[in-house]
Every structure is written in structure tokens, then in C-alpha cells.
Amino acid sequence: MSHTVSSAAQKLGLAAVRALYAEVALEPKPGLVSFRDCGSHTDMNAQTFLRSLFALRGYFPRIAQAGYDGAPFADLAHLGQCAEARMLAATRGINTHRGAIFGLGLLCASAGQLLAQGLLFTPQHLRAVLLSTWGEALAQRAKLARLAAPVSNGQQAARRFGLRSAGDEAAQAFPVLFDVTLPALQAGLQSGAGERAARVQALFATMAVLDDTNCVHRGGIDGLRFVQTCARQFLQAGGIFQTDWQLHARAIHASFVARRLSPGGSADVLASACWVQSVLVEFCRAGFSPPWSTEVDPTEPQKPVTSWQERPELVA
């Protein structure tokens, strides 16, 4: 596996970090951590997420480069495992981004391979490349997960209630992301509602349909159904096009906190949608031509970073 990362892979990875920052910064966001409060969590806050993002900032460019190189799925999995270890070390054992390491990491790898094949960056091409390159491995992984003893909270919930896990979503090229979340985000942006409101709309659209095993783990199957029902009611009332949509969303937030519900899976999908949209804008509308010959060694020592203010380009 290559130890150098091209500038295009760096761009893909930086877009991933920015998308994850956009997700944690978003508010109102029912039950989830934001800069306003800790949502339904007592073991983490926004600073925990920022420490995690610092730890992961090299992972997304590396997996994008691995995708460009056509690395086998085992290599991608190894990169993800190393990234998870760095995340847990940075957060003192708190799982902030395990879902994003898997899902958004796969998308970065797929984007790298897409560029290697000289294809235009589109959602359709991204999904096709994911399936043609690693689809068989992902399907086998999902099958083995269904047969083996569950090793994560999400797998336990999916097994018990017959839900579609994150692994199942990946094996099907992320249908909720591309069929629900991304279209909702794009529709919100096209309406002129602004990025913040469009992201909230996309989050609620996702919560309404996703088998979010985080909710099942914290509140049982009734907790998941409550989340889905609240999201559908918000959308049926007009979503972000209600005059009092922020009050409505914050009331739902309070009801989730009271029940300890946190739709973390939906948050991961939203971050992925933000990433896809940002890459579409930067790589396509700007006519970006990937300079793959320009390489950077990610193992080269960097200046220590002690705050986000020292690296504004990570969050701009």
C-alpha cells in the first residue's frame, strides 16, 4: 500500500473532515451533540468530537489514495481499524466516529478509484465504482456479520429486530444516503433555504426512514419508531418551510433527550451527504483536474496543533 498521498486524495480527505465538522456544528439536531449542548449524551461533548476529528484528519486522505491505488478491501479495513484506534485514543475510549470511519471512508476510497478510472464524479458513478471494486467483499462481510455472533451494538440491534445494518447499507451502495438524504439536502439548497436549514431537512428525512441501530440500542425498537414518527411529523408539517421550524425541531430534541435517544446513524449519513455535495461542487463545477503526480508524504512530521484556530483550513 502506498505511503504517499496525492493532492487530489488530500482534497477528498479534507472534504470529509469538513463534512464531519459541519455535522457536529449543525443545530438544531435532535438528541445529538452540538456546540449548543450534549444532546442525549453524558459521556461526550463537541470538544470530544473535535479531538476525534484531529485524530482522523490523516485517515481520509490515506483511504482515498488506497482507493485510487485499487487496494483490496482487507487493506481498506486495516486503515479503518488503525483510524478507530487513533479515535479511541484521542477520545479516551469514546466512540464518536466509528460509523463515519466505515461509511465515509468507503466513499472516499470509491472517489479515489473513480478518479483513477477517469470517470466524472457523480453519485451514480460513485455507487457503481463502490460495487464493482469492493461490492463482493462488502456483501460477504454483511453475510458473515449476519451469521456470526454480533460484535457491536448496531449488529446486535439489527440481528434482534431484523433491521438493515450499516454493513448492509454499504453492501447495497448506501441506498438511504443516495436515494433520500442527498436528494433532500440538494432540494433544500436549491430552494434557497441555506446550508444550515437544508442540512436539518436532510437529517429529518434520514431519521424518518433509516434503520438507525443507535436508537434501538438506546431505546429499543420503540425508541426507533418514536424517532421515525417524530421525523415524519416534522416533515409532514412542512419541515424547514414551517415558520417556526426551529422551535419544532428543538421540541423534538428535548423529547429525544428525555428518552436518551440519539440518532447517530442518521448523523453519519448526513455527514456523508455533505461530503458528496461538497465534492460535487469542488471537483465538477470548478472543473477540477486531479494532479495525481503531486505527492505528499503523510508520515512526515507536522507542526503540533493545539486548537482548531491554528488550522482554520480544516473547518472553513
Side-chain angles (χ1 to χ4, degrees), residues 81-280:
Q81 290 160 2
C82 292
E84 183 174 327
R86 287 193 294 272
M87 172 197 74
L88 293 174
T91 62
R92 301 181 180 90
I94 303 299
N95 169 25
T96 48
H97 290 112
R98 183 176 290 139
I101 289 171
F102 176 66
L104 190 49
L106 278 174
L107 291 169
C108 285
S110 299
Q113 178 57 208
L114 183 152
L115 291 174
Q117 294 184 24
L119 297 172
L120 183 67
F121 187 97
T122 67
Q124 294 80 8
H125 285 163
L126 192 65
R127 299 182 78 180
V129 165
L130 171 63
L131 291 178
S132 64
T133 311
W134 300 288
E136 184 176 342
L138 287 167
Q140 183 66 12
R141 179 183 182 275
K143 179 180 178 180
L144 291 175
R146 288 191 293 270
L147 296 175
V151 296
S152 70
N153 294 329
Q155 289 176 358
Q156 291 173 5
R159 174 79 60 84
R160 181 178 178 186
F161 297 105
L163 304 176
R164 192 162 62 187
S165 68
D168 294 325
E169 282 283 315
Q172 297 174 42
F174 302 107
V176 172
L177 165 62
F178 287 104
D179 296 340
V180 177
T181 315
L182 182 62
L185 176 63
Q186 292 174 332
L189 292 171
Q190 291 167 5
S191 75
E195 283 190 342
R196 174 172 172 258
R199 288 166 179 168
V200 171
Q201 183 81 351
L203 176 63
F204 273 90
T206 307
M207 291 192 301
V209 300
L210 185 70
D211 284 347
D212 196 327
T213 53
N214 287 292
C215 296
V216 180
H217 172 64
R218 297 175 72 91
I221 194 66
D222 289 340
L224 173 62
R225 300 308 178 214
F226 180 80
V227 167
Q228 292 174 333
T229 297
C230 287
R232 289 168 184 158
Q233 290 174 344
F234 177 83
L235 296 170
Q236 289 166 0
I240 59 170
F241 302 104
Q242 307 169 71
T243 55
D244 59 347
W245 71 266
Q246 295 186 65
L247 291 176
H248 190 175
R250 286 181 180 140
I252 295 173
H253 174 65
S255 70
F256 282 18
V257 171
R259 293 167 174 80
R260 297 185 61 255
L261 296 171
S262 177
S266 296
D268 290 337
V269 178
L270 173 65
S272 291
C274 291
W275 175 83
V276 173
Q277 181 62 20
S278 70
V279 175
L280 280 170

Side-chain angles (χ1 to χ4, degrees), residues 11-21 53 60 104 108 271 275 278:
K11 286 178 179 288
L12 290 169
L14 177 57
V17 174
R18 285 175 170 165
L20 290 170
Y21 181 85
L53 285 183
F60 293 106
L104 190 49
C108 285
W275 175 83
S278 70

